[in-house]
Amino acid sequence: QVQLVESGGGLVQAGGSLRLSCAASGSIFSINTMGWYRQAPGKQRELVATITSRGSTNYADSVKGRFTISRNNAESRVYLQMNSLKPEDTAVYYCNAERRSSEYGPPRISWGQGTQVTVSS
């Protein structure tokens, strides 16, 4: 069993900042890519940002220059610093991780339960 627990969501005014955190725990041998996704009401879940174990990052065009993803490999944590927030950033934000539970085990994807981010205009 692997658990991902997000924290740091909340209500913020447009132009403000929030920092999301996600901690992975459980039967983890290694974690490759970790990422943040979001889902707004009535919309599909979409990628926000990902980061590999070596620190390579990828961002959705809509958040480039405003959001920064980072991670602490030793603690199996990933963060999302969100600046210059806009009302259209309002969504439930989910953390995910591609991980293995043993050296030769298959890679599996785990998801957190989500944290609400609401940006008021």
Side-chain angles (χ1 to χ4, degrees):
Q1 285 279 8
V2 174
Q3 297 81 39
L4 298 180
V5 179
E6 302 101 334
S7 61
L11 173 64
V12 65
Q13 288 188 332
S17 298
L18 283 174
R19 186 179 190 237
L20 305 183
S21 177
C22 172
S25 63
S27 181
I28 299 172
F29 175 79
S30 64
I31 300 178
N32 185 12
T33 301
M34 301 187 80
W36 290 96
Y37 291 71
R38 67 187 181 187
Q39 187 166 18
K43 295 188 177 182
Q44 290 188 331
R45 191 173 298 188
E46 62 177 6
L47 178 145
V48 176
T50 60
I51 183 168
T52 69
S53 58
R54 296 190 175 191
S56 295
T57 59
N58 179 51
Y59 295 92
D61 288 342
S62 59
V63 307
K64 283 181 181 177
R66 299 188 298 122
F67 291 9
T68 302
I69 189 170
S70 60
R71 67 189 279 177
N72 181 322
N73 289 331
E75 296 184 359
S76 297
R77 288 180 176 269
V78 64
Y79 305 96
L80 186 68
Q81 178 66 43
M82 305 185 293
N83 299 329
S84 302
L85 282 161
K86 305 175 181 180
E88 51 263 44
D89 294 318
T90 295
V92 177
Y93 282 70
Y94 297 91
C95 165
N96 93 342
E98 179 189 352
R99 48 78 182 177
R100 295 176 187 269
S101 294
S102 62
E103 184 175 4
Y104 301 108
R108 299 188 187 278
I109 303 295
S110 295
W111 290 90
Q113 81 288 350
T115 186
Q116 177 69 46
V117 171
T118 303
V119 184
S120 63
S121 57

